[in-house]
Amino acid sequence: MRISALAERTDLPVATVKYYLRAGLLHPGTATSRTQATYDESHVERVRLVRALSEVGGLSLATVGRVLEALEEPEVERLGVLGAAQRSLLGPDLVTLPPEAERSAAPASRAREFVRARGWRVDPGDPVLDHLDAAWQACDDAGLGLDEERMDAYADAVEQVAVVDVESVPAEPHAAVRQVVLGTVLVDPVLAALRRLAQQHVSVIRHGAG
């Protein structure tokens, strides 16, 4: 198909599809002349993936590019799949962890103490801990009363979600990276929506709300 047909199939302007090509978010088509190329179903799938990551997942196109790179990387050890996939979402400076010595010397923080107390086997230098610290502090600043007891209750629930996540990851590394990355981005909105629906349900059960 020509680029105009690709744009029509994916409900995008031709100019946007051309931008995806220039930015490397979409692989080149098969050249038919110096200025023309044809595209196939793999291009349709890639455009839809870029749109899902940016529109549903809320990622910037720069982050989408890093995610796509993670999906195309050579095979990695299964134990490293989750960390490598998650870090592709965090930023260009966090795609790889700092050296082990720097991670071991990571400053104490509320989040690090929390995961240590729970016995979670988490790298103390993982930047996700810094994100948790910042988010937790924002909750405190807003007066939400998110103390350790409530955090433990949340952590218990999230750990069960993590069990479902990890048990669903395929054995083949490339497929595993794809599922972890896309699952992290695209399932998060599903979980958020389920949480809101569950809040309504529990409110009705406990308080008889209409």
Side-chain angles (χ1 to χ4, degrees), residues 67-198:
V67 168
L68 296 176
E69 288 177 6
L71 297 181
E72 295 169 354
E73 282 182 357
E75 291 189 357
V76 296
E77 294 182 3
R78 185 174 176 81
L79 187 60
V81 164
L82 183 62
Q86 288 184 342
R87 285 191 293 278
S88 73
L89 306 174
L90 296 177
D93 298 330
L94 300 174
V95 174
T96 57
L97 284 173
E100 184 175 353
E102 293 182 23
R103 302 202 307 272
S104 300
S109 73
R110 194 178 185 187
R112 287 174 175 83
E113 175 57 27
F114 177 77
V115 298
R116 186 201 64 77
R118 283 192 64 88
W120 281 4
R121 300 177 64 181
V122 175
D123 191 313
D126 195 311
V128 175
L129 290 166
D130 298 321
H131 285 235
L132 176 57
D133 270 319
W136 199 345
Q137 184 60 51
C139 290
D140 285 349
D141 293 344
L144 294 181
L146 192 54
D147 58 17
E148 277 74 5
E149 182 179 359
R150 187 173 167 193
M151 279 291 284
D152 261 325
Y154 281 138
D156 288 341
V158 172
E159 194 166 334
Q160 294 304 306
V161 173
V163 169
V164 176
D165 288 340
V166 173
E167 289 184 348
S168 70
V169 174
E172 194 275 315
H174 183 80
V177 171
R178 179 181 177 84
Q179 178 155 325
V180 169
V181 173
L182 300 186
T184 299
V185 177
L186 300 179
V187 177
D188 275 359
V190 174
L191 296 178
L194 284 173
R195 180 191 180 197
R196 286 159 177 74
L197 293 171

